[in-house]
Amino acid sequence: MKFCEIANLWLDNESYGKDYTYQNELKSAVKHLNRYFEGILCEDIKGLNVEQFIRFNYEHNNPNTNKPFSKRLLSDLISVGYRIFEFALDNELICNIRNPFSGKKKKIPKAAPVTERTAIDEFQKSLVLSVPNRTQIAALIMLYCGLRKGEIIALKWSDIDFNRKIISVTKSAVRMDSNNYKITLHTKNGKDRYIPIPDNLLSYLKIAKFTSKSEYVYPQKNSKKIQTVTSWQKAWNSYITHLNYKQYSDTCKAFGQVPKAFNSPSGIPQVLERFTAHQLRHTYCTMLYMAGVDILTTSKLLGHSSIQITLEIYTHLDEKYKALNISKFNDYINNDNSNIIILNKVV
């Protein structure tokens, strides 16, 4: 059998009953693999061919984005390729061959770009805190409680215990088609969690609940219904536009200029670096790190499927923020005459 035939059989089997987003991720991975291996018989694919596949994609841009393949995407493609061959071997679609994708992750070049998780900066954070907008409530909950987008969409006021100062994250919204979400019990990793609410956010939420007309904390605009894919995207783009206008307006005033109107036909310059909703969740993780919260607690608060995920983030934050204290070494050098560098004119 050709690789594409087995890959498509695996995709049909693996996608059954899964959510829309996961199905699309699998389809995208199989499309990348088929682009290279499509017409080749599975028995003819050897480990060397997989290494050549890795090298080819490393040297060429992703045709979907026209950007280099990231290390994570290359790793995901090797994982899917491995699973396709295991499926074929288990079902005796191919026989007496070794899985050519086995152990090939170590062949991914170390120089392959890494998609870095980034927190928003202090200026972006100040805008989130100060600019009123209907999306501000979603942004603040992600920033100070670390909820995922799907968890925000599914969140009801009944999930917030104002007396105990806790948000119960027990369900999530998952895509059921190109534009609609459905609410499922439990979170992305099947783990419920209970998040303490900081006092600054608690006061904000009490006011928001008093004025809300929906059972959902962040419903569609002018509706009591949960967000759709389109309504979320429009709301988020509108939110970033409002934050950008605030920065643009303040910058103009600082230089004695009159800012354009918000809806100026000629448009407003993009002076604010855009950020995603997920970056707010990563900012929450960063703040937990800066506050000295231990890895195990952080992992539980974020609902990571494995503490290893949290450990990798904390390790990266260590490298970024934990400056080495060399003051004692510097004092020693300065107080020891034997370390004085003699400055002579270079001949």
Side-chain angles (χ1 to χ4, degrees):
M1 295 182 71
K2 294 179 181 179
F3 176 84
C4 62
E5 295 172 327
I6 291 181
N8 291 333
L9 279 175
W10 173 85
L11 178 61
D12 183 64
N13 181 74
E14 186 66 22
S15 297
Y16 182 77
K18 302 298 193 303
D19 68 71
Y20 181 85
T21 301
Y22 183 65
Q23 289 179 5
N24 279 348
E25 289 173 353
L26 295 184
K27 288 178 183 176
S28 177
V30 168
K31 186 176 181 179
H32 281 301
L33 290 162
N34 276 339
R35 190 179 288 118
Y36 191 88
F37 295 110
E38 185 172 16
I40 305 176
L41 295 176
C42 282
E43 288 84 353
D44 293 338
I45 299 176
K46 309 300 180 185
L48 179 60
N49 301 116
V50 177
E51 292 176 20
Q52 291 170 339
F53 165 75
I54 294 171
R55 191 179 309 137
F56 177 83
N57 285 311
Y58 172 68
E59 294 174 351
H60 295 80
N61 283 349
N62 183 337
N64 297 335
T65 63
N66 201 31
K67 295 180 180 179
F69 280 81
S70 68
K71 185 173 292 186
R72 179 178 177 181
L73 178 54
L74 289 174
S75 177
D76 288 346
L77 295 181
I78 299 305
S79 293
V80 170
Y82 178 85
R83 291 163 65 188
I84 289 171
F85 267 86
E86 288 299 295
F87 167 81
L89 290 166
D90 288 344
N91 290 280
E92 299 181 350
L93 301 175
I94 52 177
C95 301
N96 302 321
I97 71 167
R98 181 176 180 271
N99 191 326
F101 283 84
S102 180
K104 295 307 175 186
K105 285 188 178 182
K106 61 185 178 183
K107 295 293 184 178
I108 297 174
K110 293 182 179 179
V114 177
T115 304
E116 183 181 354
R117 301 179 179 93
T118 57
I120 62 174
D121 60 35
E122 288 301 315
F123 187 80
Q124 291 168 326
K125 180 180 173 183
S126 69
L127 291 174
V128 172
L129 296 178
S130 63
V131 177
N133 186 279
R134 67 175 305 273
T135 302
Q136 185 184 32
I137 188 170
L140 288 174
I141 293 174
M142 286 185 279
L143 178 63
Y144 285 111
C145 294
L147 271 65
R148 300 179 177 93
K149 180 175 75 173
E151 295 164 352
I152 287 286
I153 292 173
L155 189 67
K156 294 183 177 181
W157 288 111
S158 57
D159 297 319
I160 301 177
D161 188 328
F162 288 96
N163 293 323
R164 296 172 60 213
K165 303 181 181 180
I166 288 176
I167 292 180
S168 297
V169 187
T170 60
K171 51 191 175 295
S172 184
V174 297
R175 285 179 67 169
M176 55 186 295
D177 54 40
S178 61
N179 193 46
N180 295 294
Y181 291 104
K182 65 177 180 179
I183 295 179
T184 61
L185 293 178
H186 309 300
T187 63
K188 178 181 179 181
N189 296 313
K191 298 179 180 179
D192 296 343
R193 63 190 196 279
Y194 304 90
I195 313 298
I197 308 171
D199 289 340
N200 63 337
L201 179 60
L202 189 70
S203 300
Y204 178 95
L205 292 176
K206 286 180 178 178
I207 296 172
K209 182 183 179 183
F210 181 76
T211 58
S212 176
K213 297 179 180 179
S214 171
E215 62 178 327
Y216 292 100
V217 173
Y218 183 57
Q220 293 184 48
K221 185 178 182 181
N222 301 322
S223 172
K224 297 180 180 181
K225 299 179 181 179
I226 68 168
Q227 298 280 350
T228 63
V229 175
T230 301
S231 69
W232 173 278
Q233 291 173 342
K234 285 183 177 179
W236 187 260
N237 288 336
S238 175
Y239 182 52
I240 295 297
T241 298
H242 276 80
L243 298 185
N244 179 69
Y245 185 76
K246 171 63 175 173
Q247 182 176 356
Y248 159 74
S249 179
D250 288 349
T251 302
C252 287
K253 292 174 182 177
F255 285 92
Q257 300 175 357
V258 178
K260 298 180 183 178
F262 179 79
N263 294 316
S264 172
S266 59
I268 303 298
Q270 184 68 39
V271 295
L272 174 72
E273 184 176 350
R274 289 183 63 91
F275 58 88
T276 66
H278 194 75
Q279 282 180 264
L280 296 172
R281 174 173 156 84
H282 187 66
T283 306
Y284 173 67
C285 180
T286 303
M287 289 192 292
L288 290 174
Y289 166 85
M290 300 297 282
V293 178
D294 64 90
I295 293 177
L296 181 58
T297 300
T298 296
S299 185
K300 289 180 179 179
L301 289 173
L302 288 166
H304 285 157
S305 58
S306 166
I307 195 172
Q308 184 63 32
I309 298 173
T310 320
L311 182 60
E312 290 176 2
I313 297 173
Y314 261 41
T315 300
H316 172 72
L317 292 173
D318 262 348
E319 295 171 352
K320 185 173 183 179
Y321 291 109
K322 188 176 284 184
L324 295 176
N325 185 357
I326 62 169
S327 58
K328 291 184 178 180
F329 176 72
N330 192 51
D331 290 341
Y332 169 77
I333 295 297
N334 288 335
N335 294 326
D336 189 336
N337 291 334
S338 66
N339 292 303
I340 295 176
I341 298 175
I342 306 301
L343 299 176
N344 289 318
K345 183 177 180 180
V346 178
V347 178

